[in-house]
Amino acid sequence: MSAPSTDTEELHGQLRQGVRELCQRFPDTYWRELDAARAYPDAFVKALTDAGYLAALIPEEYGGSGLGVTEAAIILEEVNRSGGNSGACHAQMYVMGTLLRHGSEAQKRRFLPAIADGTLRLQAFGVTEPTTGSDTTQVKTNAVRKGNRYLVNGQKVWISRAEHSDLMILLVRTTPIEQVKKRSEGLSVLLVDLREAIGHGLTIRPLRTMMNHATTELFFDDLEVPVENLIGEEGKGFTYLLDGLNAERILIAAECVGDGRWFIERARKYASERVVFGRPIGQNQGIQFPIARAHVNIEAADLMRQRAASLFDRHQPCGAESNMAKLLAADASWEAANVAVQTHGGFGFAEDYDIERKFRETKLYQVAPVSTNLILAFIGQHVLGMPRSY
Ligand SMILES: Cc1cc2nc3c(=O)[nH]c(=O)nc-3n(C[C@H](O)[C@H](O)[C@H](O)COP(=O)(O)OP(=O)(O)OC[C@H]3O[C@@H](n4cnc5c(N)ncnc54)[C@H](O)[C@@H]3O)c2cc1C
């Protein structure tokens, strides 16, 4: 990895500072109240969009700022480091890549500038299904072509932000699995206009979870999608999905690094101030060392995330690094979350301290968008050359 130039360091410093200042307008109380009401952070997402941060990865010719994944990751890291939750809007950054890389010029001209200026929100992607889970090639939601339309039928689960998005990237099967040579073939990606779809073949049912995540179940009953909304070639959808995964892994890793730094800072401060048995609890090695260890692990994960992002931005292969970054950062943030609760004792459970909220939020990254076991399976098979285990 080459050392960043002074210009790049300056840009990154300014970016961090800008996002921090924006986030200061949305303090702990803002996120706490939304969490209690399980409400979507509309004002925050609007502010982030208006400031142009969510269009970081959109090229300048389509109205974005044309930055790299390194910079996009800094933005999301700072949101989580401030105590907020990028989960409300992170998908816009990595979902948009499917459209950018595989969409036609007409699709890009039609949608990207509107996404960049916030007129259109592309916050949702529909992959997971209740009966197939991590085994993505088995998705059963199907699209059958009828003239200039596809008719979509099936069901998706855990589709986040669908109620707060205008567009959704949807993975469907267009050729039955019995008729393809490889199970990864015959899948396609459609761009669904949710504003037209809801109530006309698409029903959305919110799913309440242990954290505030605006996730939903989707039911498709003869939903009509114009053929012009097919992204790329029919049948190649799985490849397009894979193409977007590295960016997604890196961005989630950065959010976890942000979470971890937030937990460590809160734990450090509390351990230094809380006096029990006549001295700060942080003077005890039983409290101090777990915080120090969590810090070490977050910093190590951050290096892997930076390496993966640097490779990605130089168009180098980065599947191994992106997956390792996601795994290391998710584990490190979860470790830091546990340490923060333990350090705060009873107050770690109190809503007013926000530790328990962030603890619930960061747990997600052990499971989504890809679970730790599936990353280990990828490393075992593709990096270490062991037999396929799934
Ligand atoms: C809050 C939330 C938001 C989400 N948002 C979205 C979204 O916007 N869009 C979307 O498409 N999906 C979304 N997801 C889905 C998420 O990507 C899946 O939950 C995740 O990929 C795991 O799939 P699953 O839940 O079906 O678990 P399963 O695949 O059923 O796996 C269950 C457990 O078994 C383990 N496991 C499975 N197979 C193996 C194996 N061969 N070897 C070892 N272990 C194995 C897994 O690691 C996991 O721990 C979201 C999920 C949540 C909880």
Side-chain angles (χ1 to χ4, degrees):
M1 184 170 58
S2 56
S5 70
T6 317
D7 282 356
T8 308
E9 279 180 359
E10 204 177 306
L11 167 74
H12 291 176
Q14 285 167 357
L15 200 55
R16 283 188 191 281
Q17 192 53 33
V19 180
R20 272 179 207 169
E21 282 169 15
L22 186 151
C23 289
Q24 277 167 10
R25 288 162 33 205
F26 300 92
D28 291 346
T29 45
Y30 173 78
W31 295 100
R32 202 182 302 152
E33 283 163 18
L34 290 172
D35 180 65
R38 290 295 188 274
Y40 189 73
D42 274 316
F44 172 75
V45 176
K46 183 173 182 332
L48 212 59
T49 308
D50 289 350
Y53 290 124
L54 285 184
L57 289 171
I58 298 180
E60 283 174 293
E61 58 175 312
Y62 300 111
S65 34
L67 296 169
V69 160
T70 303
E71 287 76 28
I74 287 174
I75 294 167
L76 298 184
E77 179 200 332
E78 287 299 330
V79 170
N80 281 38
R81 192 177 181 173
S82 80
N85 185 0
S86 299
C89 52
H90 55 193
Q92 177 130 327
M93 284 192 173
Y94 50 77
V95 169
M96 182 279 307
T98 309
L99 181 58
L100 181 63
R101 276 186 299 273
H102 305 290
S104 66
E105 195 51 38
Q107 287 171 333
K108 289 194 266 190
R109 296 254 161 242
R110 182 169 161 212
F111 295 113
L112 290 178
I115 294 170
D117 72 17
T119 321
L120 280 180
R121 297 165 301 170
L122 174 54
Q123 295 280 13
F125 64 103
V127 175
T128 310
E129 298 191 359
T131 58
T132 51
S134 307
D135 199 357
T136 308
T137 58
Q138 300 298 319
V139 299
K140 295 190 170 50
T141 298
N142 65 84
V144 176
R145 190 166 171 170
K146 294 260 172 348
N148 60 356
R149 311 246 137 198
Y150 284 105
L151 280 188
V152 180
N153 283 284
Q155 190 182 341
K156 298 274 174 187
V157 71
W158 304 121
I159 309 310
S160 305
R161 302 161 298 272
E163 295 170 296
H164 306 279
S165 189
D166 301 307
L167 303 169
M168 172 174 66
I169 297 273
L170 181 68
L171 187 73
V172 291
R173 186 156 274 292
T174 38
T175 307
I177 199 157
E178 312 77 54
Q179 293 173 23
V180 292
K181 283 200 209 84
K182 282 166 67 186
R183 57 193 178 152
S184 55
E185 292 169 356
L187 293 164
S188 302
V189 171
L190 300 179
L191 190 64
V192 175
D193 191 326
L194 291 164
R195 297 163 303 174
E196 292 169 4
I198 296 168
H200 299 96
L202 172 62
T203 307
I204 303 186
R205 209 177 282 162
L207 284 173
R208 199 177 159 96
T209 58
M210 74 180 196
M211 68 288 179
N212 185 19
H213 201 85
T215 197
T216 68
E217 260 179 308
L218 307 182
F219 301 89
F220 302 91
D221 182 11
D222 279 343
L223 171 72
E224 292 189 6
V225 178
V227 166
E228 67 194 39
N229 282 21
L230 171 74
I231 295 184
E233 272 182 62
E234 192 180 285
K236 298 257 173 76
F238 190 70
T239 329
Y240 304 159
L241 186 76
L242 291 184
D243 279 354
L245 292 186
N246 290 336
E248 179 197 76
R249 309 281 192 259
I250 296 166
L251 294 172
I252 298 288
E255 290 176 41
C256 290
V257 168
D259 277 346
R261 289 185 170 147
W262 184 90
F263 284 119
I264 289 159
E265 175 51 21
R266 291 290 167 113
R268 183 203 67 75
K269 190 164 182 294
Y270 191 79
S272 306
E273 290 169 358
R274 170 76 169 169
V275 174
V276 182
F277 296 110
R279 57 186 187 165
I281 56 170
Q283 207 176 328
N284 304 303
Q285 292 179 343
I287 288 291
Q288 188 182 103
F289 285 8
I291 300 173
R293 184 178 289 278
H295 169 76
V296 171
N297 287 336
I298 282 289
E299 293 307 306
D302 185 42
L303 286 179
M304 186 60 80
R305 155 266 182 121
Q306 285 181 36
R307 182 161 148 200
S310 164
L311 288 168
F312 186 99
D313 287 336
R314 285 182 285 129
H315 308 288
Q316 305 275 317
C318 60
E321 290 78 5
S322 306
N323 276 283
M324 290 191 288
K326 163 34 175 96
L327 184 144
L328 289 169
D331 281 357
S333 72
W334 181 230
E335 176 191 9
N338 276 302
V339 165
V341 170
Q342 205 65 25
T343 303
H344 282 75
F347 292 105
F349 297 84
E351 287 182 355
D352 283 357
Y353 279 69
D354 299 292
I355 304 288
E356 61 81 36
R357 171 176 61 81
K358 293 281 283 180
F359 174 92
R360 288 183 277 115
E361 287 170 0
T362 215
K363 178 66 186 172
L364 176 64
Y365 300 118
Q366 298 285 311
V367 171
V370 59
S371 68
T372 304
N373 276 0
L374 268 287
I375 292 185
L376 291 172
F378 171 86
I379 299 290
Q381 184 191 350
H382 294 286
V383 180
L384 300 177
M386 290 190 281
R388 184 184 168 93
S389 67
Y390 58 102

